[in-house]
């Protein structure tokens, strides 16, 4: 049974990711010991879960709240990985999706109680359009999707800034606060009673929407013919075409779906009415959203598996929230960035790690079989000598 379990690809991926996490945490602990030996151990335990015991359900709710957009961008990158594409444009798709949600959030009060739902759909559509473009260029002009995605990141960011700012008098822009105008309360994501379970937290249904998206992506990739065709195009575009699959259509659809997921993340972030109201307005800046790039780390750690990405985004957010609390011990939150970077670095060697694990188990089994064979031979020789 153990042999079957170890032979499974999912088990290898899980163990490889676990090793990457352990290595990242150990190196993070080492950095903390070097920088502040007296507070390293309590600070480390605070980061890896002490804050949960200290603050309870409130911070658990906030953890789920903060993790939802990251889960969406992780899914976006992971889905493209699975179909043989590298979607480094999640940041731009996230920003454009967020902008479309802002438009509905500010101007769509006529939608009434379903304004938040329309805004979510607008965010998905905006991200999908921004993902469609590099997919189109890749399919018909064989343009490298990495290059076109990077360019579209900046185009999306500056376009959104220009549309919001509108020479200082844009209908979405509040010049007194230098940010977007306030949303109607009906544009905020509902909580559906979750704040009764996690009182005083900022939780809303954003994480439920993100997890539903992960489950849908998992079903598409693993249980449908469409998903099989997408993965086939990723493995070998020419072979897929030879097999009768329309590879151009599937490349475009892959990037469009990846963009839609990032757009969902942007909409979830901006329509959140909780967490110190940090996600309810957008300030035009000349820097790309880090959320899209953090999705790459999540996708790597989750091995591009939608279910793995759920846990990976949860872990990264958990550590980031822990990093927020270690400041009381005198540590900088950037220590978490070091840990996450190391985890991503080791995740890139996940295949190597899984191969090491496989060989370790294989050699162990061979030694056991060899020892058993020797014992059997010795027993047989002993019985023959008695005869």
């Amino acid at each position: 049974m153990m042999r079957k379990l170890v032979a499974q690809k999912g088990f290898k991926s899980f163990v490889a990711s676990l090793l990457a996490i352990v290595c990242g945490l150990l190196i993070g602990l080492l950095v903390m010991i070097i920088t502040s030996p007296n507070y390293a151990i309590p600070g480390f335990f605070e980061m890896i879960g002490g804050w949960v015991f200290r603050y309870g359900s409130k911070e658990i709710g906030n953890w789920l709240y903060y993790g939802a957009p990251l889960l969406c961008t992780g899914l976006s990158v992971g889905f493209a990985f699975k179909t043989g594409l590298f979607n480094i444009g999640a940041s731009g798709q996230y920003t454009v999706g967020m902008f479309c949600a802002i438009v509905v959030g500010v101007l769509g009060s006529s939608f009434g109680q379903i304004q938040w739902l329309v805004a979510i759909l607008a965010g998905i559509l905006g991200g999908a359009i921004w993902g469609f473009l590099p997919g189109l260029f890749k399919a018909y002009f064989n343009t490298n999707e990495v290059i076109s995605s990077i360019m579209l990141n900046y185009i999306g960011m500056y376009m959104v800034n220009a549309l919001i700012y509108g020479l200082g008098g844009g209908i979405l822009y509040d010049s007194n606060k230098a940010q977007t105008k306030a949303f109607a309360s009906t544009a905020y994501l509902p909580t559906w009673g979750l704040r009764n379970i996690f009182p005083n937290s900022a939780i809303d249904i954003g994480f439920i929407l993100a997890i539903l998206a992960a489950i849908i992506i998992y079903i598409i990739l693993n249980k449908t013919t469409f998903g099989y065709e997408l993965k086939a195009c990723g493995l070998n575009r020419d072979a897929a075409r030879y097999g009768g699959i329309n590879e151009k259509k599937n490349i475009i659809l892959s990037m469009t779906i990846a963009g839609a997921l990032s757009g969902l993340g942007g909409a979830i972030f901006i329509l959140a009415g909780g967490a110190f109201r940090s996600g309810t307005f957008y300030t035009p800046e000349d820097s790309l959203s880090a959320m899209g790039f953090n999705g790459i780390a999540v996708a790597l750690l989750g091995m591009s598996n939608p279910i793995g990405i759920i846990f990976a985004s949860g872990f990264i957010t958990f550590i980031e929230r822990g990093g927020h609390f270690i400041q009381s011990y005198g540590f900088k939150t950037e220590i978490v960035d070091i840990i996450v970077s190391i985890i991503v670095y080791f995740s890139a060697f996940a295949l190597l790690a899984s191969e090491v694990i496989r060989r370790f188990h294989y050699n162990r089994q061979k030694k056991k079989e060899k020892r058993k064979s020797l014992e059997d031979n010795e027993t047989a020789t002993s019985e023959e000598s008695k005869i």
Side-chain angles (χ1 to χ4, degrees):
M1 182 177 176
M2 188 64 188
R3 184 184 297 180
K4 288 182 180 178
L5 181 64
V6 171
Q8 289 181 356
K9 188 178 178 181
F11 179 80
K12 293 178 191 173
S13 300
F14 170 75
V15 174
S17 297
L18 195 61
L19 285 175
I21 290 171
V22 170
C23 291
L25 290 175
L26 287 177
I27 294 175
L29 174 60
L30 183 63
V31 172
M32 294 172 78
I33 290 173
I34 293 171
T35 54
S36 181
N38 294 334
Y39 296 102
I41 299 300
F44 180 76
F45 281 107
E46 180 74 9
M47 182 179 64
I48 63 172
W51 56 275
V52 174
F53 297 102
R54 191 186 300 273
Y55 300 103
S57 60
K58 174 188 173 184
E59 282 304 324
I60 293 175
N62 287 338
W63 167 45
L64 295 173
Y65 167 87
Y66 282 109
L70 184 59
L71 171 52
C72 291
T73 54
L75 284 172
S76 174
V77 178
F79 180 80
F81 275 156
K82 279 287 186 184
T83 58
L85 298 167
F86 186 19
N87 180 29
I88 203 169
S91 181
Q93 296 149 14
Y94 177 90
T95 304
V96 173
M98 183 169 59
F99 170 74
C100 293
I102 289 172
V103 172
V104 177
V106 174
L107 305 177
S109 56
S110 59
F111 290 110
Q113 296 301 315
I114 63 167
Q115 187 179 1
W116 68 270
L117 181 59
V118 178
I120 286 284
L121 295 175
I124 293 172
L125 179 63
I129 292 172
W130 222 243
F132 167 83
L133 295 174
L136 181 71
F137 298 149
K138 173 77 175 181
Y140 284 95
F141 306 108
N142 203 25
T143 306
N144 189 302
E145 74 275 14
V146 174
I147 296 172
S148 57
S149 293
I150 291 174
M151 294 173 69
L152 283 167
N153 276 341
Y154 286 97
I155 294 171
M157 178 189 70
Y158 286 119
M159 180 188 72
V160 166
N161 287 352
L163 290 173
I164 289 177
Y165 186 66
L167 299 177
I171 56 176
L172 301 173
Y173 190 67
D174 185 343
S175 57
N176 293 324
K177 297 181 179 178
Q179 63 188 38
T180 52
K181 291 180 179 176
F183 297 168
S185 59
T186 49
Y188 293 146
L189 293 177
T191 60
W192 290 353
L194 289 168
R195 289 185 190 170
N196 294 328
I197 302 173
F198 305 100
N200 302 318
S201 74
I203 194 169
D204 55 36
I205 64 166
F207 84 97
I208 296 177
L209 297 177
I211 290 175
L212 278 176
I215 294 171
I216 291 171
I217 292 300
Y218 177 83
I219 293 172
I220 289 175
L221 284 174
N222 299 293
K223 305 293 181 185
T224 66
T225 305
F226 174 54
Y228 172 80
E229 290 183 356
L230 291 177
K231 290 189 289 186
C233 290
L235 290 172
N236 192 316
R237 183 177 175 179
D238 295 326
R241 183 171 60 244
Y242 183 76
I245 297 174
N246 188 336
E247 90 281 6
K248 291 182 179 177
K249 181 188 79 174
N250 284 312
I251 289 172
I252 294 172
L253 285 175
S254 293
M255 289 301 290
T256 303
I257 293 172
L261 290 165
S262 289
L264 173 63
I268 286 176
F269 173 77
I270 203 66
L271 298 173
F276 321 112
R277 301 184 69 80
S278 60
T280 56
F281 57 84
Y282 177 76
T283 303
E285 295 178 352
D286 293 337
S287 59
L288 294 172
S289 168
M291 194 67 76
F293 297 111
N294 291 342
I296 298 173
V298 169
L300 280 172
L301 186 59
M303 298 293 171
S304 300
N305 183 306
I307 306 303
I309 289 171
I310 293 176
F311 291 101
S313 63
F315 172 75
I316 297 291
T317 310
F318 189 88
I319 290 295
E320 287 179 343
R321 293 299 299 158
H324 174 75
F325 294 105
I326 62 173
Q327 294 179 89
S328 60
Y329 291 90
F331 293 104
K332 298 289 185 183
T333 56
E334 283 76 10
I335 284 178
V336 174
D337 295 332
I338 294 173
I339 293 172
V340 172
S341 301
I342 292 168
I343 289 171
V344 171
Y345 185 79
F346 280 102
S347 295
F349 289 97
L351 289 177
L352 176 63
S354 63
E355 182 63 18
V356 170
I357 294 166
R358 188 192 68 79
R359 288 194 178 191
F360 173 77
H361 182 73
Y362 176 78
N363 291 333
R364 192 177 173 188
Q365 285 298 119
K366 291 291 288 183
K367 285 181 181 176
K368 287 174 71 175
E369 290 173 2
K370 188 176 179 180
R371 188 166 58 242
K372 188 172 185 305
S373 177
L374 285 173
E375 290 174 354
D376 291 343
N377 288 336
E378 287 176 359
T379 305
T381 305
S382 175
E383 289 179 353
E384 284 177 1
S385 63
K386 289 179 182 177
I387 294 173

